Amino acid sequence: MARQPLSDASSMKSERWLRNLVALAILFFLWWFLLGVLEREVRRAEEQAANMVISQLRSALVIKGAEVMLDRHGSLEEQEGINPFELIDHQWGSYAGQCKGRVPEPGAWCFRNRTQKETVKQGSGWLIYNPRQPITIQKRQANTGEPLAWRVTTEFADRNQNGEREQDERSTGLRLMPVSLQEDSVGTQSAAR
């Protein structure tokens, strides 16, 4: 039996179809790979930006703590719960000011004031960040829609290394302490340093 040659038109059509299919498969693979790289880079950029903000706020607290300690009439304990963004003369694009809702918009920071019922003391509150995507901020895992919170507290000379402040242990400065954000309350339970 003799083979019949395929017509030139149908073989060219098959070759073109195969080339187009291979080209589409390669383009799809490159598109998928580039989306993964883009997602990783966006996550890394948000992580670096949030860590940079925390570092700058911590530096501002070191300076504020030194100023308060040099002032004979000042007390570090009076500075607990202050808004650290107010210590830096900079217009932050991601800082929304006072929290208007339970949490800020994704990718934004806000400060939630708290009024203590016993003392009606204003200015005591928490700094809150709502990540756009899962990131790690200062060794704390943050997932999308699960904001992280910090509170300005005093550092102290922990002589007996128990992590709790006794009366004879003096304050040594201010720090930004991670706290847990739960429903409508913020507590210091199980917050990692």
Side-chain angles (χ1 to χ4, degrees):
M1 285 186 103
R3 277 180 141 190
Q4 291 186 352
L6 291 174
S7 70
D8 288 338
S10 72
S11 89
M12 285 176 55
K13 187 176 182 181
S14 296
E15 286 176 15
R16 224 180 282 142
W17 184 83
L18 183 61
R19 264 188 269 143
N20 287 340
L21 183 65
V22 169
L24 281 174
I26 291 171
L27 285 175
F28 177 76
F29 174 75
L30 289 174
W31 175 74
W32 177 72
F33 177 75
L34 288 175
L35 281 179
V37 169
L38 180 64
E39 183 179 323
R40 280 191 307 274
E41 289 302 311
V42 167
R43 178 179 296 142
R44 192 173 68 86
E46 182 178 358
E47 223 170 73
Q48 286 179 338
N51 283 316
M52 182 193 69
V53 168
I54 292 291
S55 294
Q56 289 181 352
L57 294 176
R58 286 188 171 155
S59 296
L61 287 171
V62 167
I63 294 168
K64 180 66 174 178
E67 288 173 355
V68 170
M69 288 172 57
L70 289 172
D71 182 9
R72 294 185 185 259
H73 304 291
S75 165
L76 288 173
E77 285 75 17
E78 291 173 359
Q79 303 299 313
E80 287 188 350
I82 64 170
N83 184 350
F85 274 104
E86 293 176 354
L87 301 176
I88 299 176
D89 188 25
H90 178 70
Q91 296 294 328
W92 299 88
S94 59
Y95 177 58
Q98 296 295 322
C99 293
K100 293 178 180 37
R102 194 174 86 71
V103 295
E105 295 293 319
W109 299 81
C110 74
F111 186 77
R112 182 185 297 165
N113 270 331
R114 180 181 85 156
T115 304
Q116 294 178 344
K117 294 177 183 173
E118 307 86 38
T119 62
V120 192
K121 179 184 173 187
Q122 287 284 342
S124 180
W126 302 276
L127 182 64
I128 301 172
Y129 179 68
N130 189 12
R132 286 189 179 106
Q133 55 198 328
I135 60 173
T136 302
I137 303 174
Q138 300 282 315
K139 299 180 183 177
R140 291 177 72 193
Q141 195 63 26
N143 294 318
T144 306
E146 295 177 8
L148 296 178
W150 293 265
R151 185 175 192 287
V152 174
T153 62
T154 55
E155 288 185 304
F156 57 92
D158 192 9
R159 292 185 185 137
N160 58 3
Q161 305 295 320
N162 67 353
E164 295 180 25
R165 182 174 180 195
E166 279 88 38
Q167 285 181 325
D168 64 334
E169 295 175 333
R170 67 179 183 86
S171 298
T172 58
L174 297 172
R175 70 177 180 170
L176 206 52
M177 178 73 172
V179 293
S180 295
L181 183 62
Q182 302 169 355
E183 295 293 324
D184 291 322
S185 66
V186 178
T188 55
Q189 310 149 358
S190 69
R193 284 189 176 194

